Amino acid sequence: MTDLALRTAPTRTEGRLPALLGYAAVRALGLLALALVSGARGADPRTLLSARWDSLWYTRVAELGYGYEVRLPNGDVHSDLAFFPLLPWLERLGAALTPLSSADTGLLVSALASLAAAAGIHAVTAHVYGDRAALYAVLLWAVLPVGIVQSMAYSESLFTALAAWSLYAVLTGRWVGAGVLALLAGLTRPVGLAVVAAVWAAAVREHLRERREAGAGLRAGAARLLGVVLAPLGTAGYVLWVGHRTGGGLFGYLDVQAGWRNGFDGGYAFARFVGAKFASFPSALAGLGLLAGVALVVWLCVTCVRQRQPLPLLVYAGAVTALALCASSYFGSKPRLLLPAFPLLLPLARALAGWRPRRSAAVLGVVAVASAVYGAVWLNGSGPP
């Protein structure tokens, strides 16, 4: 399907409600499993979802603003400047306008954003492959092993919603909307750069196409240019503000991330981490699992290219994957960091769409139960750093 066909294809909404109901059912199953496992362990599921790990940092920013840091015994400095501001802003707004606390507002934002993300994933997939594949894309995103994060007071659901709808706006030629959504995604997570890259790549391709076809008019070009200009302002604005606040200039945010021992090394540290698993037999099994997971992600990336997904989806998913796998720290977080890369699921969604409905439903049902149990145990254990 050509870019022009994608831009002019009608919007498909008739299959969205069943997809959202299915998504909500999977998330309800995950929360039920979490409640049961947490109850058996004497833990509070609400605390696990809203008041641990990164959720605490977001809530602290919402309530007190930026400026908090923790100095570890080894000299590392964990600063709250590492966390982008859109989720804390929404938490603060919700706490000011409702009786909810900042933490509870974070849960509400995550719940609503996860539904918006599911709707965006459906819109993108239906636009490219039809409603049937879109239904399975949404359900596959719901049953991911770390899908419980979609219900936490984390920024993954919010970011995925903004990214998915920005990509849909690009595919349908709504350049200003795409730019605004990319700007907001850039205020949510550092990986907002992936959305910017997708908008820019699509804009360049569209500009070259118009030059070959004698142009589409000044108005279309102006809207596209405005979208291109708007897209990076969220990421750039926050990074520059951090640089000004810390005195680090353009590299201030990188210095903050270095305090968390996080950076981009091309995957060298992750490769060493995986290799170290083969030093003994029990951990070698984990190493094999990690290699299998990486191989699956690479295979999905290659399959997306072979199936000729639209350019913005390829750029976006490729950038999210590269940033996730090539980060130099928090190796246990990589599945969570890959959560927004939903275009990688589209080859699997297309395959399920080709099966008989009962067979597809049975497979997804088994995976949903396994995912719910895994997420509940994981969150009651090490959980997401």
Side-chain angles (χ1 to χ4, degrees):
M1 186 179 291
T2 66
D3 285 350
L4 181 60
L6 286 170
R7 190 176 62 256
T8 57
T11 301
R12 305 175 63 95
T13 61
E14 55 266 28
R16 194 168 299 166
L17 181 58
L20 292 180
L21 291 175
Y23 175 80
V26 173
R27 289 275 42 83
L29 178 64
L31 293 175
L32 175 61
L34 177 63
L36 294 175
V37 173
S38 299
R41 295 173 60 95
D44 179 13
R46 176 175 166 274
T47 299
L48 293 175
L49 292 170
S50 67
R52 292 186 70 187
W53 304 295
D54 291 4
S55 299
L56 286 174
W57 288 89
Y58 284 121
T59 300
R60 185 178 288 112
V61 172
E63 294 176 347
L64 303 175
Y66 285 103
Y68 179 79
E69 63 183 29
V70 176
R71 293 186 177 272
L72 304 184
N74 65 357
D76 290 346
V77 178
H78 288 185
S79 169
D80 59 8
L81 292 171
F83 297 90
F84 276 51
L86 185 57
L87 179 57
W89 286 348
L90 293 175
E91 290 182 348
R92 180 181 298 179
L93 180 63
L97 298 179
T98 72
L100 296 176
S101 66
S102 297
D104 289 338
T105 300
L107 289 179
L108 177 61
V109 169
S110 183
L112 296 177
S114 68
L115 288 171
I121 292 170
H122 185 278
V124 169
T125 311
H127 193 70
V128 181
Y129 296 124
D131 283 329
R132 188 171 172 81
L135 169 66
Y136 291 118
V138 170
L139 294 178
L140 283 169
W141 192 66
V143 303
L144 288 173
V146 293
I148 190 65
V149 174
Q150 298 163 14
S151 299
M152 296 178 67
Y154 269 44
S155 60
E156 273 78 6
S157 291
L158 179 59
F159 174 80
T160 305
L162 294 168
W165 284 107
S166 179
L167 292 170
Y168 179 73
V170 168
L171 293 175
T172 54
R174 297 172 172 89
W175 293 103
V176 176
V180 171
L181 290 167
L183 184 158
L184 293 173
L187 285 171
T188 308
R189 297 185 62 81
V191 75
L193 290 172
V195 189
V196 177
V199 172
W200 282 5
V204 170
R205 183 167 182 173
E206 185 69 5
H207 174 70
L208 294 176
R209 184 196 66 80
E210 287 181 357
R211 289 188 62 182
R212 290 194 303 268
E213 299 178 4
L218 180 61
R219 183 175 180 180
R224 184 170 61 247
L225 178 60
L226 180 56
V228 166
V229 171
L230 287 171
L233 294 184
T235 301
Y238 183 68
V239 168
L240 291 174
W241 179 79
V242 170
H244 174 74
R245 183 183 176 100
T246 62
L250 293 175
F251 301 100
Y253 185 76
L254 297 180
D255 294 337
V256 169
Q257 287 283 14
W260 288 78
R261 297 211 172 190
N262 198 17
F264 189 88
D265 65 357
Y268 174 72
F270 184 45
R272 290 187 60 187
F273 173 77
V274 174
K277 294 294 183 181
F278 292 92
S280 62
F281 172 72
S283 64
L285 297 177
L288 288 174
L290 288 171
L291 286 178
V294 172
L296 175 62
V297 170
V298 172
W299 177 79
L300 288 173
C301 287
V302 172
T303 304
C304 290
V305 174
R306 287 179 174 175
Q307 292 185 351
R308 302 186 68 179
Q309 280 188 15
L311 178 65
L313 300 189
L314 293 176
V315 171
Y316 168 75
V320 172
T321 302
L323 290 171
L325 295 183
C326 296
S328 60
S329 188
Y330 297 102
F331 306 115
S333 293
K334 293 193 181 296
R336 173 172 67 86
L337 298 177
L338 284 168
L339 196 62
F342 70 88
L344 296 183
L345 299 174
L346 300 194
L348 300 178
R350 295 183 70 188
L352 287 173
W355 292 0
R356 292 183 178 180
R358 288 185 179 180
R359 183 184 179 191
S360 299
V363 169
L364 285 171
V366 171
V367 176
V369 171
S371 174
V373 173
Y374 174 81
V377 173
W378 176 61
L379 210 56
N380 275 276
S382 60

